[in-house]
PDB file of all heavy atoms in Angstrom:
ATOM      1  N   SER A 100       5.392   0.701  -2.486  1.00 97.00           N
ATOM      2  CA  SER A 100       6.805   0.335  -2.334  1.00 97.00           C
ATOM      3  C   SER A 100       6.958  -1.133  -1.949  1.00 97.00           C
ATOM      4  O   SER A 100       7.926  -1.785  -2.352  1.00 97.00           O
ATOM      5  CB  SER A 100       7.510   1.249  -1.327  1.00 97.00           C
ATOM      6  OG  SER A 100       6.998   1.103  -0.030  1.00 97.00           O
ATOM      7  N   SER A 101       6.000  -1.673  -1.222  1.00 96.00           N
ATOM      8  CA  SER A 101       6.046  -3.099  -0.888  1.00 96.00           C
ATOM      9  C   SER A 101       5.879  -3.955  -2.139  1.00 96.00           C
ATOM     10  O   SER A 101       6.572  -4.959  -2.325  1.00 96.00           O
ATOM     11  CB  SER A 101       4.950  -3.427   0.131  1.00 96.00           C
ATOM     12  OG  SER A 101       4.952  -4.800   0.414  1.00 96.00           O
ATOM     13  N   ILE A 102       4.968  -3.551  -3.011  1.00 96.00           N
ATOM     14  CA  ILE A 102       4.785  -4.280  -4.267  1.00 96.00           C
ATOM     15  C   ILE A 102       6.051  -4.149  -5.120  1.00 96.00           C
ATOM     16  O   ILE A 102       6.478  -5.115  -5.764  1.00 96.00           O
ATOM     17  CB  ILE A 102       3.531  -3.769  -5.005  1.00 96.00           C
ATOM     18  CG1 ILE A 102       2.281  -4.147  -4.194  1.00 96.00           C
ATOM     19  CG2 ILE A 102       3.460  -4.332  -6.420  1.00 96.00           C
ATOM     20  CD1 ILE A 102       1.007  -3.487  -4.678  1.00 96.00           C
ATOM     21  N   ALA A 103       6.667  -2.970  -5.098  1.00 97.00           N
ATOM     22  CA  ALA A 103       7.921  -2.771  -5.835  1.00 97.00           C
ATOM     23  C   ALA A 103       9.004  -3.713  -5.313  1.00 97.00           C
ATOM     24  O   ALA A 103       9.737  -4.333  -6.100  1.00 97.00           O
ATOM     25  CB  ALA A 103       8.382  -1.313  -5.704  1.00 97.00           C
ATOM     26  N   TYR A 104       9.098  -3.835  -4.010  1.00 97.00           N
ATOM     27  CA  TYR A 104      10.098  -4.721  -3.407  1.00 97.00           C
ATOM     28  C   TYR A 104       9.854  -6.181  -3.790  1.00 97.00           C
ATOM     29  O   TYR A 104      10.781  -6.908  -4.142  1.00 97.00           O
ATOM     30  CB  TYR A 104      10.113  -4.547  -1.889  1.00 97.00           C
ATOM     31  CG  TYR A 104      11.090  -5.446  -1.195  1.00 97.00           C
ATOM     32  CD1 TYR A 104      12.463  -5.205  -1.278  1.00 97.00           C
ATOM     33  CD2 TYR A 104      10.656  -6.550  -0.471  1.00 97.00           C
ATOM     34  CE1 TYR A 104      13.376  -6.050  -0.658  1.00 97.00           C
ATOM     35  CE2 TYR A 104      11.555  -7.395   0.152  1.00 97.00           C
ATOM     36  CZ  TYR A 104      12.916  -7.137   0.058  1.00 97.00           C
ATOM     37  OH  TYR A 104      13.811  -7.976   0.669  1.00 97.00           O
ATOM     38  N   LYS A 105       8.591  -6.603  -3.750  1.00 96.00           N
ATOM     39  CA  LYS A 105       8.271  -7.980  -4.136  1.00 96.00           C
ATOM     40  C   LYS A 105       8.606  -8.222  -5.610  1.00 96.00           C
ATOM     41  O   LYS A 105       9.109  -9.288  -5.969  1.00 96.00           O
ATOM     42  CB  LYS A 105       6.800  -8.298  -3.862  1.00 96.00           C
ATOM     43  CG  LYS A 105       6.471  -8.444  -2.381  1.00 96.00           C
ATOM     44  CD  LYS A 105       5.078  -8.965  -2.155  1.00 96.00           C
ATOM     45  CE  LYS A 105       4.057  -7.882  -2.336  1.00 96.00           C
ATOM     46  NZ  LYS A 105       2.694  -8.290  -1.953  1.00 96.00           N
ATOM     47  N   ALA A 106       8.327  -7.232  -6.449  1.00 96.00           N
ATOM     48  CA  ALA A 106       8.651  -7.358  -7.876  1.00 96.00           C
ATOM     49  C   ALA A 106      10.165  -7.453  -8.069  1.00 96.00           C
ATOM     50  O   ALA A 106      10.649  -8.217  -8.906  1.00 96.00           O
ATOM     51  CB  ALA A 106       8.080  -6.177  -8.653  1.00 96.00           C
ATOM     52  N   LEU A 107      10.893  -6.694  -7.286  1.00 96.00           N
ATOM     53  CA  LEU A 107      12.358  -6.739  -7.356  1.00 96.00           C
ATOM     54  C   LEU A 107      12.864  -8.130  -6.991  1.00 96.00           C
ATOM     55  O   LEU A 107      13.726  -8.687  -7.680  1.00 96.00           O
ATOM     56  CB  LEU A 107      12.949  -5.682  -6.424  1.00 96.00           C
ATOM     57  CG  LEU A 107      14.462  -5.566  -6.396  1.00 96.00           C
ATOM     58  CD1 LEU A 107      14.988  -5.130  -7.754  1.00 96.00           C
ATOM     59  CD2 LEU A 107      14.875  -4.566  -5.325  1.00 96.00           C
ATOM     60  N   LYS A 108      12.324  -8.691  -5.928  1.00 95.00           N
ATOM     61  CA  LYS A 108      12.729 -10.048  -5.520  1.00 95.00           C
ATOM     62  C   LYS A 108      12.411 -11.068  -6.610  1.00 95.00           C
ATOM     63  O   LYS A 108      13.138 -12.043  -6.772  1.00 95.00           O
ATOM     64  CB  LYS A 108      12.035 -10.428  -4.215  1.00 95.00           C
ATOM     65  CG  LYS A 108      12.639  -9.740  -3.012  1.00 95.00           C
ATOM     66  CD  LYS A 108      11.914  -9.997  -1.711  1.00 95.00           C
ATOM     67  CE  LYS A 108      11.620 -11.399  -1.402  1.00 95.00           C
ATOM     68  NZ  LYS A 108      10.968 -11.598  -0.087  1.00 95.00           N
ATOM     69  N   ALA A 109      11.336 -10.817  -7.365  1.00 96.00           N
ATOM     70  CA  ALA A 109      10.957 -11.711  -8.458  1.00 96.00           C
ATOM     71  C   ALA A 109      11.717 -11.381  -9.747  1.00 96.00           C
ATOM     72  O   ALA A 109      11.456 -11.970 -10.786  1.00 96.00           O
ATOM     73  CB  ALA A 109       9.455 -11.628  -8.697  1.00 96.00           C
ATOM     74  N   LYS A 110      12.606 -10.407  -9.670  1.00 94.00           N
ATOM     75  CA  LYS A 110      13.432  -9.952 -10.797  1.00 94.00           C
ATOM     76  C   LYS A 110      12.610  -9.333 -11.935  1.00 94.00           C
ATOM     77  O   LYS A 110      13.022  -9.355 -13.087  1.00 94.00           O
ATOM     78  CB  LYS A 110      14.331 -11.064 -11.308  1.00 94.00           C
ATOM     79  CG  LYS A 110      15.311 -11.544 -10.234  1.00 94.00           C
ATOM     80  CD  LYS A 110      16.420 -12.349 -10.805  1.00 94.00           C
ATOM     81  CE  LYS A 110      17.423 -12.884  -9.829  1.00 94.00           C
ATOM     82  NZ  LYS A 110      17.383 -12.565  -8.470  1.00 94.00           N
ATOM     83  N   ASP A 111      11.446  -8.785 -11.584  1.00 96.00           N
ATOM     84  CA  ASP A 111      10.627  -8.046 -12.546  1.00 96.00           C
ATOM     85  C   ASP A 111      10.999  -6.567 -12.381  1.00 96.00           C
ATOM     86  O   ASP A 111      10.348  -5.815 -11.653  1.00 96.00           O
ATOM     87  CB  ASP A 111       9.144  -8.289 -12.278  1.00 96.00           C
ATOM     88  CG  ASP A 111       8.239  -7.667 -13.336  1.00 96.00           C
ATOM     89  OD1 ASP A 111       8.698  -6.760 -14.077  1.00 96.00           O
ATOM     90  OD2 ASP A 111       7.067  -8.080 -13.408  1.00 96.00           O
ATOM     91  N   LEU A 112      12.072  -6.177 -13.046  1.00 96.00           N
ATOM     92  CA  LEU A 112      12.643  -4.847 -12.840  1.00 96.00           C
ATOM     93  C   LEU A 112      11.722  -3.723 -13.323  1.00 96.00           C
ATOM     94  O   LEU A 112      11.691  -2.653 -12.706  1.00 96.00           O
ATOM     95  CB  LEU A 112      14.008  -4.751 -13.517  1.00 96.00           C
ATOM     96  CG  LEU A 112      15.051  -5.774 -13.054  1.00 96.00           C
ATOM     97  CD1 LEU A 112      16.386  -5.529 -13.744  1.00 96.00           C
ATOM     98  CD2 LEU A 112      15.207  -5.775 -11.550  1.00 96.00           C
ATOM     99  N   ASP A 113      10.988  -3.955 -14.392  1.00 97.00           N
ATOM    100  CA  ASP A 113      10.079  -2.919 -14.884  1.00 97.00           C
ATOM    101  C   ASP A 113       8.945  -2.661 -13.898  1.00 97.00           C
ATOM    102  O   ASP A 113       8.607  -1.515 -13.610  1.00 97.00           O
ATOM    103  CB  ASP A 113       9.520  -3.282 -16.263  1.00 97.00           C
ATOM    104  CG  ASP A 113      10.591  -3.242 -17.347  1.00 97.00           C
ATOM    105  OD1 ASP A 113      11.592  -2.507 -17.171  1.00 97.00           O
ATOM    106  OD2 ASP A 113      10.430  -3.949 -18.358  1.00 97.00           O
ATOM    107  N   LYS A 114       8.376  -3.729 -13.374  1.00 97.00           N
ATOM    108  CA  LYS A 114       7.299  -3.585 -12.382  1.00 97.00           C
ATOM    109  C   LYS A 114       7.843  -2.943 -11.106  1.00 97.00           C
ATOM    110  O   LYS A 114       7.198  -2.069 -10.520  1.00 97.00           O
ATOM    111  CB  LYS A 114       6.673  -4.947 -12.077  1.00 97.00           C
ATOM    112  CG  LYS A 114       5.507  -4.880 -11.104  1.00 97.00           C
ATOM    113  CD  LYS A 114       4.868  -6.252 -10.914  1.00 97.00           C
ATOM    114  CE  LYS A 114       3.708  -6.195  -9.933  1.00 97.00           C
ATOM    115  NZ  LYS A 114       3.092  -7.536  -9.749  1.00 97.00           N
ATOM    116  N   ALA A 115       9.015  -3.356 -10.692  1.00 97.00           N
ATOM    117  CA  ALA A 115       9.635  -2.782  -9.492  1.00 97.00           C
ATOM    118  C   ALA A 115       9.830  -1.281  -9.666  1.00 97.00           C
ATOM    119  O   ALA A 115       9.513  -0.492  -8.767  1.00 97.00           O
ATOM    120  CB  ALA A 115      10.963  -3.458  -9.196  1.00 97.00           C
ATOM    121  N   THR A 116      10.323  -0.885 -10.831  1.00 98.00           N
ATOM    122  CA  THR A 116      10.538   0.540 -11.112  1.00 98.00           C
ATOM    123  C   THR A 116       9.222   1.297 -11.100  1.00 98.00           C
ATOM    124  O   THR A 116       9.104   2.366 -10.494  1.00 98.00           O
ATOM    125  CB  THR A 116      11.231   0.716 -12.478  1.00 98.00           C
ATOM    126  OG1 THR A 116      12.503   0.068 -12.415  1.00 98.00           O
ATOM    127  CG2 THR A 116      11.419   2.177 -12.826  1.00 98.00           C
ATOM    128  N   ASP A 117       8.219   0.741 -11.760  1.00 98.00           N
ATOM    129  CA  ASP A 117       6.907   1.392 -11.860  1.00 98.00           C
ATOM    130  C   ASP A 117       6.312   1.659 -10.475  1.00 98.00           C
ATOM    131  O   ASP A 117       5.902   2.786 -10.160  1.00 98.00           O
ATOM    132  CB  ASP A 117       5.969   0.527 -12.697  1.00 98.00           C
ATOM    133  CG  ASP A 117       4.611   1.170 -12.909  1.00 98.00           C
ATOM    134  OD1 ASP A 117       4.558   2.379 -13.213  1.00 98.00           O
ATOM    135  OD2 ASP A 117       3.588   0.449 -12.793  1.00 98.00           O
ATOM    136  N   TYR A 118       6.280   0.648  -9.640  1.00 98.00           N
ATOM    137  CA  TYR A 118       5.659   0.807  -8.321  1.00 98.00           C
ATOM    138  C   TYR A 118       6.516   1.652  -7.376  1.00 98.00           C
ATOM    139  O   TYR A 118       5.982   2.386  -6.548  1.00 98.00           O
ATOM    140  CB  TYR A 118       5.299  -0.550  -7.712  1.00 98.00           C
ATOM    141  CG  TYR A 118       4.011  -1.069  -8.308  1.00 98.00           C
ATOM    142  CD1 TYR A 118       4.026  -2.004  -9.330  1.00 98.00           C
ATOM    143  CD2 TYR A 118       2.784  -0.596  -7.883  1.00 98.00           C
ATOM    144  CE1 TYR A 118       2.850  -2.453  -9.904  1.00 98.00           C
ATOM    145  CE2 TYR A 118       1.603  -1.037  -8.442  1.00 98.00           C
ATOM    146  CZ  TYR A 118       1.643  -1.964  -9.454  1.00 98.00           C
ATOM    147  OH  TYR A 118       0.474  -2.398 -10.016  1.00 98.00           O
TER     148      TYR A 118
END
Side-chain angles (χ1 to χ4, degrees):
S100 65
S101 178
I102 293 169
Y104 179 73
K105 288 189 282 188
L107 181 64
K108 285 175 49 177
K110 298 195 181 355
D111 186 341
L112 302 183
D113 291 335
K114 183 176 180 180
T116 299
D117 183 45
Y118 280 99

